[in-house]
Amino acid sequence: MCGAKRQDRIDVVPMITTGAFSHKPFASIAGLGLAKRALLLLSIDPGLKGAIIAGSAGSGKSTLAHSLRDLFPDRPFIIVPAIVDEAALVGRLDIEATLNASSPIFERGLLASADGGVVFVEGVNRMDPGAASVLASALDEGVVRVEREGLSRVLPSRFVFIGTCDPAEGDIPTPLLSRIGLMVESGEATIDERNAVLEQAGAFDNDREDFFRGFTDETTRLKAKIDEARRSLDEVAISKKDIEELCSSALGLGIEGNRADIFATRAARANAALEGRDAVQESDLIAAIRLTLLPKATALPIESTQKHRVEPPEQPTSESDLIDQQTRDTGTGGSAAASVESFIIRSMQASLPDGTLSDFRRLPNTKGSAGRTRLRHAHSTDSTRGRYFRSSPRRGRRLARIAVDATLREAAPHQRTRRRDTSGRRVIVTARDLRYKEFRRKRGVLFIFAVDASGSMALNRLGEAKGAMIKLLERAYIQKDSVALIAFRGQSAEILLSPTRSVELARRSIESLPAGGGTPLAAGLAKALDLGKQAFRRWKVHSNLIVFTDGRANVQLGATPGGISIAEELSLIGAALIQEGIDSVVIDTRPAFASTGDARGLCELIGGRYIHLPRAEAAAIETAIRLVTS
Amino acid sequence: MKENRNPEAKKSLTRPTSRERPAFPFAAIVGQDEMKLALILNVISRNIGGVIIFGHRGTGKSTAVRALADLLPAAWRVKGCSFNCDPDVPAEMCEDCTSKLAHGATLSRERTRVPVVDLPLGSTEDRVCGTLDIERALREGVKSFEPGLLARANRGFLYIDEVNLLEDHLVDVLLDAAASGLNVVEREGISVRHPSRFVLVGSGNPEEGELRPQLLDRFGLHARIETITDLDQRVEIVERRDRFERDPFGFLTEMEAVQTRVRNRIARARKLSPSVRLERDLLKSVAELCALLNVDGHRGELTIARASTALAAFEGRSKVSAADVKSVAKMSLRHRLRRDPLESIDSGARIDRAIERIGL
């Protein structure tokens, strides 16, 4: 009488591609030296948790990721699409089996299926923050916790993660990033490597089996080497001084938390094991720093030692410039931290060809102003995208998905009476029982603040504008809107804060807003237009633009002299803003007595609404903006 | 009958299942004293109201919470009760146990560990609140209640990692239960109310989305955690982690003596805590401090009083000292200060200044 034994369906999830020759052999991949090393270290020590290969499209990162199968033969290799719902990751009710068995049958999710193997995500930066967090917590704990659709399970889920990302497509969700040990750039291929790839591609397409056979020896050798390294890993010694070196590098590079230290230590030991050494030496430390710390850096050690940084330094034109500058600075610094810095610099110099460092800048930061894209807003429930959070008897306006668990619950108590009149079927569900899934999805308003940070604004109460923005921000948080911050000064505009809901983050970037230089209004508006378009494309979010300025545009967007005037430029951008459905509000920051009507003129040009900033009344501004934008 | 149906649910009430790795021992966690103290105080005195741990990633937030289970004392519960009822407190029992008592039955009891229940992101409402037991309904045509996480967490701890990412709807459910100590379920033809008194523990990183003010206010303490910059400590963390991962059970044995000391100290503090005195004068200064900082409501004062009492008990004293109050003031008030948009100064520093002005 104690109920049926739990029946979990554990057959293979269809997303596993099983073809023996569907990937290229690891040994056949030309170039990508550092990325290949990362995968080797990962297969020697799965405690490194995972590797992310960053690179532009067509740099061979996916091919390499797929070839990881060679290093984990006969293990599950689960391909998880970047756009995946949480149910598919953690598991769900198996509709068909549940109806047949007339008791809830659980269908294992992708993470539990990957236990003992590999999870592969192409384009990790496209992952939804919720799904990424679920993945991250499985990586952390080695189990999946399921508490959904009437099911409660804790399932083992120990896997290594491999992901690819194109840094141009946005940031990697931070919960995931901090739990993955290795990260590497696929970099640009040399001419020789390109040729090798081309030659191989022909052979691979002609006869895959033959192609694989060509690399059998190489693959066998590689596997033997890995096995040997795995066996000796426990014996590899690392001195306290070496661990100190790694920890202070992580500290100097501004990496949050202790996970990076642990990963770096593991990577150094795995590297020594790979090279057949029984103790870590300097080259292992350098490899570890390159693969585990540098890609996650949020600061360069040189910056952290400078106490007063008035202006951000000029963007270095190339990597070598930066390194030169660093080397010079280190030479004059002569502090105790110098040895650590030189370590990091040597790791950098050992890194990939030119351009690597500029790419690192595009890589996600764990901290920092322009490093985050995360939107969580007012929710829309009329959709089938997003997160299933409860069921309802109401059918959505568009595509409706039936909540099987809730429907069965509704139907269950009537089964006895219904069974009397119909025979054969085990569970009889009528239309009245149907329950639909309600989904929540991010949607809301994005407030884009475009702040004039020119020299004239410094006089015209930039401080009060900051106060008004922070006030708005706190309100935006409660309303579950998100904010972004653009500053324009000197010759150009810059996104200081990508769309975020974090008051903390926004406050910090607003507070540290510098001022000085000319007024490139058009550049600021053009950036805002881009951001608004992007927000709509990616998250279907509507944008409001709020411009803080004293209205005197004096720097043109187009460089061509004799082209269109500043006013014409502004009205063109204004027209584009209206076309994109971006409402704009211009806040005049000039004191009333000094107002020249410039800002009012701007409103007319871009078709926005006008608000004058009354002295020190941030709250009044906030209300006014709410009124005009709602 | 019922408890056999869901063996995993039952196991997590007691010990981690064998498939889970053993937890890293609490006593082996290096640094982060504020977080550790906040957790310990909540074990000593359940009415402090829980703790939210906010701070950098990878600093051991969830490690500490998972380590907590091993510090918790054993407790009695009604044998077979899905809600973990305390056999000695009839006033707080579920409907089942109450009606059994009313009919003159004696409730048999069993020893259990205080549960630490995980509320994973992506949970659905039915599993959080509990719902119709579908299997029994289909097989026997009986409408019965299948308890959810709020039932499992009764008299224990409810832990939400990445609490700032939690679905708003679930936040509402939690707020209702936390405010009343009851979980009221009215769905699918089921009408159940059962006790759900839990200590709420949350962790997260505010840079990735903040917590709703109503939920933030529910947490008694707010512990802040930052990346450790002391090199020796960082090296120690790496070395201990390494030892633990190579040989978890060996490491546990190595740490057992220290861990037992902490456990015993907490057990002594729990006994001592009800008799710890907080003098009127000191209480007045606490009220003054909250007034000076413009803290809304009385939760600030109450939390300081309870937390400092627990701290005195932890230190083995029968009287709360000014130093105890000072030690808990920041974590009790940090999240209750009104935000001044033009003020860039850290809330901790504001509290420090206020303490100085009062002359505590």
Side-chain angles (χ1 to χ4, degrees), chain B residues 27-307:
Chain B
I29 296 170
V30 177
Q32 309 298 5
D33 295 329
E34 185 174 283
M35 171 183 70
K36 286 193 284 192
L37 182 63
L39 287 169
I40 287 174
L41 295 182
N42 271 290
V43 178
I44 296 172
S45 167
R46 289 180 51 86
N47 57 9
I48 289 174
V51 53
I52 173 93
I53 307 164
F54 260 155
H56 292 170
R57 301 207 148 274
T59 40
K61 297 185 289 267
S62 57
T63 304
V65 180
R66 300 205 188 286
L68 197 62
D70 193 47
L71 292 184
L72 297 174
W76 288 109
R77 70 163 187 167
V78 174
K79 198 170 181 184
C81 176
S82 313
F83 309 102
N84 247 345
C85 283
D86 186 342
D88 300 318
V89 189
E92 292 181 0
M93 281 183 184
C94 67
E95 288 166 354
D96 248 23
C97 293
T98 313
S99 83
K100 273 184 201 158
L101 274 186
H103 289 85
T106 41
L107 300 169
S108 51
R109 53 176 65 201
E110 62 182 349
R111 240 5 198 171
T112 180
R113 285 202 149 238
V114 172
V116 178
V117 175
D118 254 279
L119 196 164
L121 284 183
S123 301
T124 52
E125 191 193 85
D126 59 82
R127 279 303 308 144
V128 176
C129 301
T131 186
L132 177 81
D133 183 337
I134 191 164
E135 213 165 319
R136 281 195 70 194
L138 286 171
R139 284 175 192 276
E140 301 159 38
V142 179
K143 272 191 187 178
S144 68
F145 179 67
E146 172 157 15
L149 299 178
L150 289 178
R152 231 191 266 171
N154 187 31
R155 297 177 63 216
F157 287 70
L158 185 66
Y159 175 49
I160 313 164
D161 193 11
E162 314 268 9
V163 62
N164 42 343
L165 301 184
L166 193 68
E167 206 58 69
D168 277 342
H169 182 73
L170 292 180
V171 171
D172 293 337
V173 168
L174 280 182
L175 285 175
D176 285 350
S180 62
L182 273 182
N183 177 32
V184 181
V185 185
E186 294 288 349
R187 51 187 292 160
E188 286 137 359
I190 291 203
S191 176
V192 170
R193 53 179 51 218
H194 68 78
S196 180
R197 289 182 193 81
F198 49 85
V199 176
L200 196 56
V201 179
S203 62
N205 183 343
E207 291 191 357
E208 279 149 30
E210 298 204 353
L211 209 56
R212 257 166 63 187
Q214 301 92 321
L215 183 57
L216 192 58
D217 191 52
R218 270 285 149 207
F219 289 97
L221 305 176
H222 175 172
R224 187 173 283 182
I225 184 163
E226 270 171 13
T227 299
I228 294 174
T229 51
D230 181 275
L231 204 54
D232 291 337
Q233 284 194 354
R234 283 179 80 134
V235 173
E236 185 66 33
I237 290 170
V238 173
E239 287 180 338
R240 286 191 183 180
R241 238 314 136 182
D242 186 50
R243 258 153 46 209
F244 173 70
E245 263 157 40
R246 282 179 193 218
D247 177 12
F249 293 101
F251 188 69
L252 292 189
T253 317
E254 193 185 319
M255 285 289 157
E256 190 49 36
V258 205
Q259 182 87 349
T260 308
R261 258 206 308 281
V262 180
R263 221 185 277 132
N264 292 342
R265 203 172 152 194
I266 291 175
R268 275 198 302 274
R270 281 167 59 92
K271 283 208 191 82
L272 181 60
S273 151
S275 59
V276 172
R277 276 174 302 121
L278 175 57
E279 308 252 303
R280 217 184 154 79
D281 280 351
L282 196 51
L283 201 56
K284 251 166 95 182
S285 320
V286 170
E288 213 179 312
L289 176 69
C290 293
L292 188 65
L293 286 163
N294 278 324
V295 177
D296 292 330
H298 297 290
R299 230 176 242 155
E301 287 104 303
L302 280 174
T303 309
I304 293 185
R306 287 167 178 163

Side-chain angles (χ1 to χ4, degrees), chain A residues 1-4 6 49 86 101-104 133-134 140-143 145 147-154 156 158 174-175 178-179 234 236 240 243-244 247-248 250-251 255-259 261-262 265-266 269 366-367 372 374 376 379 387-391 405-406 408-410 412-413 415-416 419 427 440 463 467 470-471 474 477-478 480 500-505 507-508 511, chain B residues 1 4-9 12 17 19-21 32 55-60 62 66 118-128 131-135 137-143 146 149 152 161-162 164-170 187-189 205-213 227-239 241-242 245-246 339-344:
Chain A
M1 216 27 243
C2 290
R6 209 177 63 245
K49 301 281 185 181
E86 284 163 27
S102 74
S103 71
S133 293
V134 168
D140 217 27
E141 288 191 76
V143 295
R145 295 176 194 277
E147 297 291 348
R148 33 191 311 128
E149 299 181 285
L151 299 160
S152 177
R153 302 274 188 282
V154 180
R158 276 154 304 197
T174 31
S178 76
R179 278 159 173 116
D234 269 357
V236 176
K240 200 171 184 118
I243 299 178
E244 241 167 61
C247 289
S248 55
L251 200 59
I255 303 171
E256 266 183 22
N258 306 99
R259 279 200 195 101
D261 300 359
I262 293 164
T265 309
R266 281 179 171 260
R269 294 177 63 230
T366 48
K367 204 198 270 170
R372 184 149 308 159
R374 178 180 289 270
R376 291 185 77 238
H379 295 283
R387 182 184 274 170
Y388 164 47
F389 77 105
R390 68 170 172 194
S391 60
D405 56 328
L408 279 177
R409 265 185 234 119
E410 204 57 36
Q415 293 309 306
R416 291 211 155 169
R419 270 182 204 142
V427 181
R440 281 262 159 115
I470 291 175
K471 194 95 194 163
E474 295 192 338
Y477 166 68
I478 295 166
K480 305 215 177 63
T500 178
R501 250 187 86 193
S502 164
V503 178
E504 275 319 306
L505 210 58
R507 179 200 303 275
R508 222 182 292 152
E511 274 164 2
Chain B
M1 197 161 78
N4 290 336
R5 255 200 60 252
N6 199 343
E8 268 163 84
S12 69
T17 58
R19 274 184 288 183
E20 288 180 57
R21 279 180 302 175
Q32 309 298 5
H56 292 170
R57 301 207 148 274
T59 40
S62 57
R66 300 205 188 286
D118 254 279
L119 196 164
L121 284 183
S123 301
T124 52
E125 191 193 85
D126 59 82
R127 279 303 308 144
V128 176
T131 186
L132 177 81
D133 183 337
I134 191 164
E135 213 165 319
L138 286 171
R139 284 175 192 276
E140 301 159 38
V142 179
K143 272 191 187 178
E146 172 157 15
L149 299 178
R152 231 191 266 171
D161 193 11
E162 314 268 9
N164 42 343
L165 301 184
L166 193 68
E167 206 58 69
D168 277 342
H169 182 73
L170 292 180
R187 51 187 292 160
E188 286 137 359
N205 183 343
E207 291 191 357
E208 279 149 30
E210 298 204 353
L211 209 56
R212 257 166 63 187
T227 299
I228 294 174
T229 51
D230 181 275
L231 204 54
D232 291 337
Q233 284 194 354
R234 283 179 80 134
V235 173
E236 185 66 33
I237 290 170
V238 173
E239 287 180 338
R241 238 314 136 182
D242 186 50
E245 263 157 40
R246 282 179 193 218
R339 279 200 175 157
D340 181 350
L342 293 172
E343 179 108 63
S344 59

Side-chain angles (χ1 to χ4, degrees), chain A residues 97 100 114 147 154 199 254 260 281 298 329 340 358 372 415 497 587:
Chain A
N100 282 331
E147 297 291 348
V154 180
E199 269 170 41
Q281 64 176 44
T298 65
D329 287 358
V340 173
S358 56
R372 184 149 308 159
Q415 293 309 306
L497 181 69
I587 298 185

Side-chain angles (χ1 to χ4, degrees), chain A residues 102-141:
Chain A
S102 74
S103 71
I105 307 271
F106 178 63
E107 178 186 333
R108 227 160 45 146
L110 296 169
L111 296 180
S113 307
D115 187 37
V118 180
V119 165
F120 172 46
V121 175
E122 180 109 55
V124 264
N125 37 4
R126 290 197 309 259
M127 277 192 105
D128 174 79
S133 293
V134 168
L135 187 57
S137 90
L139 268 174
D140 217 27
E141 288 191 76

Side-chain angles (χ1 to χ4, degrees), chain A residues 51-289:
Chain A
I52 292 178
I53 311 169
S56 49
S59 54
K61 52 188 191 309
S62 311
T63 314
L64 180 63
H66 276 285
S67 74
L68 189 61
R69 279 173 213 222
D70 271 3
L71 307 185
F72 289 87
D74 312 317
R75 301 291 185 88
F77 188 92
I78 306 286
I79 300 173
V80 174
I83 309 297
V84 61
D85 64 1
E86 284 163 27
L89 285 178
V90 301
R92 62 180 124 210
L93 208 58
D94 181 329
I95 301 173
E96 206 183 316
T98 299
L99 286 174
N100 282 331
S102 74
S103 71
I105 307 271
F106 178 63
E107 178 186 333
R108 227 160 45 146
L110 296 169
L111 296 180
S113 307
D115 187 37
V118 180
V119 165
F120 172 46
V121 175
E122 180 109 55
V124 264
N125 37 4
R126 290 197 309 259
M127 277 192 105
D128 174 79
S133 293
V134 168
L135 187 57
S137 90
L139 268 174
D140 217 27
E141 288 191 76
V143 295
V144 197
R145 295 176 194 277
V146 190
E147 297 291 348
R148 33 191 311 128
E149 299 181 285
L151 299 160
S152 177
R153 302 274 188 282
V154 180
L155 302 169
S157 171
R158 276 154 304 197
F159 55 87
V160 298
F161 179 87
I162 176 92
T164 64
C165 81
D166 183 346
E169 285 188 327
D171 302 327
I172 297 166
T174 31
L176 193 57
L177 183 65
S178 76
R179 278 159 173 116
I180 287 168
L182 303 158
M183 194 159 165
V184 66
E185 290 266 325
S186 55
E188 292 288 317
T190 62
I191 296 288
D192 284 352
E193 285 163 6
R194 279 172 198 268
N195 284 338
V197 169
L198 273 177
E199 269 170 41
Q200 276 185 10
F204 183 68
D205 290 342
N206 281 341
D207 186 346
R208 291 194 174 192
E209 223 175 310
D210 193 50
F211 186 81
F212 263 79
R213 222 172 290 126
F215 286 96
T216 316
D217 288 354
E218 182 86 35
T219 303
T220 316
R221 233 188 348 262
L222 203 62
K223 276 183 195 152
K225 200 173 170 189
I226 292 173
D227 284 344
E228 176 57 36
R230 273 183 194 153
R231 271 194 298 275
S232 62
L233 182 64
D234 269 357
E235 313 304 320
V236 176
I238 180 163
S239 71
K240 200 171 184 118
K241 208 182 132 284
D242 287 343
I243 299 178
E244 241 167 61
E245 207 79 70
L246 293 171
C247 289
S248 55
S249 298
L251 200 59
L253 289 167
I255 303 171
E256 266 183 22
N258 306 99
R259 279 200 195 101
D261 300 359
I262 293 164
F263 286 140
T265 309
R266 281 179 171 260
R269 294 177 63 230
N271 196 67
L274 178 64
E275 301 296 341
R277 287 190 279 270
D278 57 4
V280 166
Q281 64 176 44
E282 194 181 292
S283 61
D284 302 318
L285 297 182
I286 290 178
I289 293 173

